[in-house]
Amino acid sequence: MGDRRTGAAPVPAAAPVQARLRDAERSENFPVALRVLPAVTRAHLRAVYDVVRVIDDIGDGDSEGAQQDRHPVTAEEAAGRTARLHGLCTDLRRVWDDGPGPEAPVLRRLVPTAWACGLTREPFERLVAANLADQYVTRYRTWGDLLAYCVLSADPIGRMVLAVFGVDAPPGSDLQRWSDRICTALQILEHCQDVAEDRARGRIYLPADDLASFGVMEADLDAPHASPALRALLAEVTGRACALLDEGTPLLGRLHGWARVAVTGYVAGGRAAADALRRSDFDVLAGAPEARRRDVVRHLVRDLTRPARGPRTRERESREPRSREPESREQGAV
């Protein structure tokens, strides 16, 4: 496939898989790779997104993108998905090895992006760990428990995106903390939209303590429409997610150039998702509320026209591939 560090001869995706991934991208609330971004940046973002999507597809039991019958996962299915996730994780580590490289086409396409952008494997391994947890953990007792899950399932995304744009966000820095808030908020808003789908898979991400506090029984999630109690709970959780989004928005004022445009697009997608939930009066059981493109654009323009504040973030001036394996900042969880 050519030099692994330059990606001189990248391996093309199989057409059906590539088409599926682009369909999945278009269904997201937020613009994965805005068309105004430079082509090379869009390619890097899509290389990352495709791996994330494949990890989630394995964890959800979706085969080649085909939507399977929704049902609680059986022990046999959980074991099969667990084996596939572990296998993908082993293959993932070959992205950074000096050997022949990974076998999965989606991981082979990640190689030039990983080396050019200084990506480490740890955030990807966190996502694998989140999907492994999904096979056996189907309830979260408290809000804090759900936030802890988002550390694995959501926060790594923002860290990879910042790396793609060359933004230096060291562990424990304000930039990383703000990014984590945004990603957690986006994840929770998605949970609010997908209550019915998650329930069909045997999962409930709304905290059990909150269900009890609002007088919502698990059986209420099987109804064709959301009850007043469930709507009130979803309004509360949506409000918490929006508060997290607001806590993370100082990041936008510290970003510049294309990084600011892209991350603002993700925030705008989250705000549009919250708009859709409110517009549906939180009746998520009748169908997942879809964010409107015009709402995304409205929020994007509003946030982009706010002046950037604070010192410029340090971004790599060169997008040349690195000549050696980047140091992993943290050991993976898998």
Side-chain angles (χ1 to χ4, degrees):
M1 88 178 198
D3 185 80
R4 296 181 61 240
R5 291 168 177 76
T6 63
V11 177
V17 176
Q18 185 75 310
R20 169 179 68 83
L21 292 170
R22 297 289 69 81
D23 285 343
E25 178 186 335
R26 285 189 289 271
S27 70
E28 297 285 359
N29 288 326
F30 54 85
V32 172
L34 286 165
R35 293 183 180 180
V36 298
L37 295 175
V40 66
T41 303
R42 292 174 64 195
H44 287 322
L45 288 172
R46 281 180 169 151
V48 170
Y49 172 83
D50 288 354
V51 175
V52 172
R53 183 71 266 161
V54 167
I55 292 171
D56 283 348
D57 281 352
I58 295 174
D60 288 340
D62 293 343
S63 175
E64 297 300 322
Q67 297 299 303
Q68 306 297 313
D69 291 336
R70 305 304 189 201
H71 60 272
V73 62
T74 66
E76 182 179 2
E77 288 170 334
R81 295 178 193 178
T82 296
R84 290 186 64 195
L85 287 166
H86 280 299
L88 184 72
C89 195
T90 298
D91 202 20
L92 173 69
R93 290 165 184 161
R94 299 188 182 108
V95 170
W96 290 273
D97 289 344
D98 289 328
E103 296 180 3
V106 71
L107 295 180
R108 296 174 72 179
R109 294 194 302 274
L110 178 66
V111 170
T113 291
W115 287 89
C117 301
L119 293 173
T120 67
R121 72 180 191 230
E122 183 268 339
F124 295 96
E125 291 183 335
R126 285 198 183 198
L127 297 176
V128 173
N131 279 270
L132 286 170
D134 280 337
Q135 307 315 308
Y136 305 100
V137 181
T138 60
R139 305 290 189 276
Y140 292 87
R141 187 175 64 83
T142 68
W143 176 250
D145 292 340
L146 181 60
L147 294 182
Y149 168 73
C150 290
V151 170
L152 297 177
S153 67
D155 297 356
I157 306 294
R159 300 180 186 191
M160 289 187 283
V161 167
L162 292 180
V164 165
F165 286 98
V167 176
D168 186 16
S173 65
D174 284 342
L175 275 76
Q176 188 180 87
R177 178 171 56 84
W178 291 328
S179 172
D180 291 349
R181 293 289 194 280
I182 290 171
C183 292
T184 291
L186 295 178
Q187 178 75 82
I188 291 171
L189 287 167
E190 183 176 338
H191 288 327
C192 289
Q193 290 177 305
D194 294 341
V195 168
E197 180 177 338
D198 291 334
R199 172 64 172 171
R201 296 182 189 274
R203 303 172 187 162
I204 299 175
Y205 292 102
L206 296 172
D209 282 359
D210 288 329
L211 289 170
S213 177
F214 280 80
V216 178
M217 305 293 292
E218 288 194 5
D220 294 340
L221 305 182
D222 299 322
H225 293 279
S227 67
L230 178 56
R231 295 178 195 227
L233 170 56
L234 287 165
E236 166 67 21
V237 174
T238 298
R240 293 179 196 170
C242 289
L244 287 171
L245 204 58
D246 290 340
E247 289 177 17
T249 52
L251 176 64
L252 307 182
R254 295 283 295 275
L255 298 177
H256 299 265
W258 294 119
R260 188 180 185 207
V261 173
V263 176
T264 302
Y266 302 146
V267 172
R271 297 196 192 283
D275 290 342
L277 284 162
R278 297 186 187 103
R279 190 166 51 246
S280 71
D281 194 23
F282 301 98
D283 189 10
V284 297
L285 301 186
E290 295 186 3
R292 294 174 178 172
R293 292 288 179 179
R294 67 170 179 262
D295 288 337
V296 176
V297 172
R298 173 170 56 86
H299 290 297
L300 176 63
V301 171
R302 186 196 66 181
D303 285 341
L304 277 180
T305 52
R306 292 176 177 173
R309 297 179 298 278
R312 294 182 64 87
T313 55
R314 186 175 68 189
E315 300 184 21
R316 291 189 295 272
E317 294 181 359
S318 172
R319 305 309 298 166
E320 292 298 320
R322 296 192 171 194
S323 60
R324 65 182 182 86
E325 178 181 355
E327 295 294 332
S328 178
R329 290 191 297 267
E330 192 173 343
Q331 291 298 318
V334 181

